[in-house]
Amino acid sequence: MASSPLLVFSPKLFHRLLQLPPTLRRSLYSTTSKPEIYDVVCVGGGPAGLSLLSALRSHPSTERLKVALIDSQDLTTSRAASDTDVYSNRCSSLTPASLRFLRDAGAWDKVEAGRVQDYHGMQVWDGVSGSRISFDPLDGKNGAGLLDALAELVPGNRFRESRRQYGMEDKGVVATMCENQNLTHALLQRLKDTEGVKVLDKTKVESIQLGPEPEDKALDLSQWPIVTLPGERQLAARLLVGADGANSPVRNFANIPSHGWDYNQHGVVATLQLDHAFAELDRRMAYQRFLPTGPIALLPLPNNKASLVWSVTTPLAAKLKALSPPAFASMVNAAFRLQIADLTYFLEHVGTIDIADEFSWRLPNTSPASTGLPQSLPMVKAVQEGSTASFPLRMRHADTYTGHRIALIGDAAHTIHPLAGQGLNLGLADAQSLASSITYGVEHGMDIGSPWCLDEYVSDRWAKNNAVMGVCDKLQKLYSVQSGPVVWGRSLGLGLVDRLAPLKGMVMGAAGGVR
């Protein structure tokens, strides 16, 4: 009887084996280790991913799902700042719809309330023509806007206090400014309170691949994504969620194309100090001026602080960041208050002129009426040290948000121009919709990684996100034009919307996430 051939160790063969890619090399190994089985594995510990997991842990139908969170960053460092005079330059404008979702998920109660700021109106104007539109949710609604104005004339009135006490204040809130780190910390605290979520931070995903063919009666993981972590640790996901940003490894694994373009612009951000402080119950405003270089927005933070987002060309962004804090503050004031011709001169000579001196003599000679300047716009007094930064602007949209046992949310699914401040709100809406689809699947005995469960999420979110992204993209292109009939047409349109209360209400409703 012939004997079985013996396997002979070959150093040369072993050396070649080590040179193979890790994914292929791992598939050739014979190992007895088995992957850990999870219902949901979320890659990405930003607000979108964290809010999804918070929503799942907050619903009785999904609270017992076995869930894991993977992130390469140290999530224990995500804490709300304690210094009330210093604010992060990474802030987001949260719509009322986003706040309702966060409250339902049990996270908003964990936010450091003293570091968030409601605002109650918006002033938007065209830097070229001066045409303007004002959004005030209380104007024309049961006379509340007029009532506010009259009440302020009565000494010792407590109208604002009673409006907040009896829940009227929320009806006048356009959006709420919140630092990203404050929101992230609140969501992490919520997950910590609920327990049951395996948090694997400071952990990089090494590879994602489909599981091996089953042996005998073993669980068939051949169509499950297997996430490999350092130390050969493996997680098998019934549903793998990519909340891992614009360069999503999960999206790449699922082979989902993402199309779009770069704007060749950067968003310059900073934390500003205004020339006067605001009381807690004061009605705050947000301001945005559309300039040929890109929109500039001033968004309120508590006390006398504000958050700046200014879209400019990439070379100009580098020059603005190199300015001293006093010069940068003067440049921001010029961008909001001067004629386009004067501002163009400033921008063309950044670093070669005394901006503060130029601004001080040009401002008295500039008529506010000629620029559309709102009377309530505060002056920028200073820039918080070290808060000036920038990020590239681009638009990307995935062809679909799901694959077999795959779902994408947030920036992994779409990246949008910041002019409407909707980026994080779209990500939170994704998380809410996906959590709803998973809940429905669990309650009806569906496999939560199957197309039957996930198709509703794609149907709900893809078209809505695409519409918002399209509007933002067209606005960016529309307001980049400096002259001609386009300027006349957009000015006419802005004026008409400002005069038509029902249409303006629809715009505000859409921006606020009203369904």
Side-chain angles (χ1 to χ4, degrees):
M1 183 175 180
S3 60
S4 300
L6 296 177
L7 292 176
V8 180
F9 175 76
S10 169
K12 186 176 181 181
L13 179 62
F14 183 70
H15 179 70
R16 289 181 178 178
L17 200 64
L18 290 178
Q19 290 181 326
L20 292 173
T23 303
L24 181 58
R25 189 172 71 235
R26 200 175 292 114
S27 68
L28 296 176
Y29 289 163
S30 175
T31 177
T32 57
S33 65
K34 294 182 179 180
E36 304 167 40
I37 307 298
Y38 282 88
D39 293 304
V40 179
V41 174
C42 179
V43 181
L50 292 174
S51 62
L52 168 68
L53 300 187
S54 296
L56 294 177
R57 303 303 296 175
S58 300
H59 197 283
S61 297
T62 55
E63 63 180 355
R64 295 187 180 278
L65 291 177
K66 189 176 180 182
V67 176
L69 170 67
I70 304 171
D71 195 278
S72 60
Q73 303 297 316
D74 184 358
L75 297 180
T76 61
T77 62
S78 297
R79 296 186 176 91
S82 56
D83 189 344
T84 57
D85 203 45
V86 176
Y87 286 85
S88 169
N89 58 13
R90 297 187 63 191
C91 298
S92 295
S93 177
L94 301 173
T95 65
S98 292
L99 290 192
R100 285 194 297 272
F101 170 52
L102 293 170
R103 287 193 181 99
D104 291 343
W108 192 248
D109 292 340
K110 309 292 183 182
V111 167
E112 184 64 43
R115 301 186 66 85
V116 303
Q117 178 63 58
D118 295 335
Y119 60 92
H120 311 84
M122 296 172 61
Q123 297 279 353
V124 181
W125 68 105
D126 188 330
V128 176
S129 69
S131 60
R132 186 173 66 190
I133 184 170
S134 303
F135 294 108
D136 185 347
L138 292 183
D139 277 349
K141 292 188 177 182
N142 301 320
L146 178 60
L147 189 59
D148 250 348
L150 294 175
E152 291 303 309
L153 299 177
V154 181
N157 85 86
R158 297 183 59 83
F159 180 72
R160 285 183 297 176
E161 290 87 340
S162 63
R163 185 176 63 206
R164 171 164 291 186
Q165 178 181 351
Y166 294 107
M168 297 174 64
E169 186 75 17
D170 287 345
K171 295 180 181 179
V173 173
V174 173
T176 300
M177 289 298 296
C178 180
E179 296 162 291
N180 289 0
Q181 65 184 32
N182 190 3
L183 178 57
T184 299
H185 175 68
L187 288 163
L188 285 169
Q189 284 297 113
R190 172 58 179 162
L191 290 182
K192 183 178 179 181
D193 291 348
T194 60
E195 301 180 344
V197 175
K198 184 67 175 179
V199 178
L200 301 170
D201 63 343
K202 296 178 288 186
T203 303
K204 186 177 181 180
V205 173
E206 290 193 345
S207 69
I208 306 173
Q209 59 189 12
L210 293 177
E213 292 296 326
E215 297 179 3
D216 299 328
K217 297 182 179 179
L219 178 63
D220 185 359
L221 301 178
S222 61
Q223 297 302 311
W224 285 43
I226 308 294
V227 181
T228 301
L229 307 177
E232 299 297 321
R233 184 177 183 178
Q234 294 185 325
L235 276 59
R238 187 182 302 274
L239 173 62
L240 178 61
V241 178
D244 46 352
N247 299 314
S248 168
V250 174
R251 189 184 67 233
N252 292 336
F253 160 75
N255 198 26
I256 297 175
S258 179
H259 301 286
W261 46 83
D262 294 344
Y263 288 107
N264 297 316
Q265 288 187 321
H266 270 60
V268 177
V269 295
T271 302
L272 309 176
Q273 180 181 340
L274 306 178
D275 60 352
H276 64 277
F278 294 85
E280 181 184 358
L281 297 177
D282 285 344
R283 289 174 55 77
R284 301 291 298 273
M285 297 288 290
Y287 303 90
Q288 186 171 48
R289 188 186 191 194
F290 280 95
L291 303 172
T293 55
I296 182 171
L298 188 73
L299 303 161
L301 293 173
N303 304 318
N304 64 338
K305 298 296 191 294
S307 182
L308 172 78
V309 184
W310 187 1
S311 301
V312 295
T313 62
T314 302
L316 182 55
K319 294 180 180 179
L320 291 175
K321 289 188 293 182
L323 292 174
S324 66
F328 186 87
S330 296
M331 182 64 84
V332 172
N333 283 323
F336 275 109
R337 297 172 182 274
L338 295 186
Q339 295 274 12
I340 292 299
D342 291 330
L343 178 60
T344 300
Y345 173 79
F346 276 45
L347 297 178
E348 289 177 349
H349 296 83
V350 174
T352 63
I353 61 173
D354 187 329
I355 297 173
D357 182 63
E358 289 280 346
F359 177 71
S360 65
W361 74 262
R362 288 176 189 265
L363 181 61
N365 297 302
T366 303
S367 168
S370 66
T371 61
L373 181 72
Q375 294 182 353
S376 60
L377 177 69
M379 188 77 76
V380 175
K381 183 179 179 181
V383 181
Q384 181 179 294
E385 195 73 33
S387 69
T388 307
S390 70
F391 57 92
L393 303 184
R394 55 176 62 99
M395 186 181 115
R396 298 284 190 277
H397 201 191
D399 286 0
T400 181
Y401 295 168
T402 62
H404 187 66
R405 302 199 179 281
I406 298 292
L408 306 176
I409 60 175
D411 286 353
H414 44 74
T415 308
I416 188 174
H417 195 286
L419 68 84
Q422 291 299 305
L424 179 56
N425 292 300
L426 295 185
L428 293 176
D430 292 345
Q432 183 179 19
S433 179
L434 181 57
S436 177
S437 294
I438 294 172
T439 301
Y440 181 87
V442 170
E443 292 175 342
H444 290 79
M446 304 169 77
D447 181 346
I448 61 172
S450 68
W452 294 274
C453 181
L454 299 176
D455 281 352
E456 179 60 30
Y457 164 59
V458 181
S459 299
D460 178 43
R461 292 306 308 159
W462 196 93
K464 292 178 182 177
N465 289 341
N466 194 60
V468 173
M469 295 172 70
V471 169
C472 290
D473 181 62
K474 299 304 184 293
L475 282 174
Q476 190 276 335
K477 291 178 170 61
L478 179 66
Y479 279 94
S480 297
V481 179
Q482 299 187 48
S483 60
V486 173
V487 174
W488 176 84
R490 75 190 185 202
S491 301
L492 177 63
L494 205 62
L496 287 175
V497 173
D498 194 38
R499 290 169 176 80
L500 296 175
L503 179 57
K504 189 159 65 170
M506 289 174 60
V507 173
M508 285 300 295
V514 176
R515 301 190 178 199

